[in-house]
Amino acid sequence: MPDDMVDGHIRGVKNALSAGWQILDRGGSALDAVEEAVVIMEDDETFDAGRGSFLNRDGHVQLDALIMDGATLRAGGVGCVEHLRNPVRAARKILSESPHVYFVAEGAEKFAAEHGIPLCQNEDLIIPREVERLRKYQEQNAHLGSNSNDSGQVGKDLFAPEISHDTVGAVALDRDSNIAAATSTGGTLNKAPGRLGDSSLIGCGCYADNLSAAASTTGWGEPIMKLVLAKWTADRVAAGNLPEWAAQEAMNYLQQRVHGHGGIIVLNREGQFGIFHNTPRMAWAYRTVKKQDAGIVREG
Ligand code: ASP
């Protein structure tokens, strides 16, 4: 996250937090709260979700999202959608109204349209900042050939601002002691068309089970999905670890096992939570009945 985007990120996560909190405060469900929080961030061009997302190699926005209900284990996911402003809304419809769990590409868009979600043009999701970012990236990496994408990057380039990771996610606990999680992303810069990351895969970028924890991850998706990291973390909470420790352990595991980088938010049914990242920065915000805070660096 470059310096000039810090304020936008903090504002964005605080707006998402207040949207989610409003729902919880009036007795709404954790599922509704995470959906609304994520919608706010999808609508905010600051983030790599919805409009303003990173572009793929062909200059298109291609979006993935997942939402999961810890009470019932119902889940809804969409992958590689190009005509939805709020993929998490489509994911929620799948969770609530389909016997299936996961839809991709045109099939996901068709499902969304049939369930009252308006489709948009892909151009409606593209902003000049991202056209320029892709242009620069492709110019600087022309020597890597047309099959390159950032999943092959090593060394210092991993932390270059232009290939930062800006997926959005939310976890929540409601008055009925149910937890939920949602994650939404435009994926990684210059990704190959059709590439799916961790974010919308159950247990990788998002997971929720009342018996363990709700978790949402961000970061370099390929390493995260190899470790099924959100489920790995939830399992550690189920085994008796505090979410705070599980979050930290998850990031250490990601780094040590597959040289991955990213961040995670984790919450259990008791309202204990962890926020951790092994990147220089990750925007976060939380609220409990007693306290609220937000920032861009968090270690524990
Ligand atoms: N995890 C996402 C992906 O690989 C990217 C991100 O977190 O920003 O698609």
Side-chain angles (χ1 to χ4, degrees), residues 48-49 54 62 64 150-151 163-168 183-189 191 195-200 205 217-225 261-263:
D48 177 30
F54 292 154
Q62 219 170 51
D64 312 324
D150 81 344
S151 60
I163 53 167
S164 68
H165 298 284
D166 234 353
T167 290
V168 305
T183 305
S184 181
T185 191
T188 48
L189 175 62
K191 66 185 179 182
R195 174 266 188 193
L196 197 74
D198 60 308
S199 307
S200 62
T217 69
T218 179
W220 184 17
E222 279 73 8
I224 292 172
M225 72 174 113
H261 65 264

Side-chain angles (χ1 to χ4, degrees), residues 43-80:
D43 288 343
D44 187 334
E45 292 175 12
T46 306
F47 301 102
D48 177 30
R51 182 173 151 84
S53 286
F54 292 154
L55 302 183
N56 72 7
R57 200 174 61 201
D58 291 350
H60 291 199
V61 165
Q62 219 170 51
L63 305 168
D64 312 324
L66 184 81
I67 185 165
M68 188 160 178
D69 177 17
T72 60
L73 297 190
R74 284 181 308 165
V78 294
C80 297

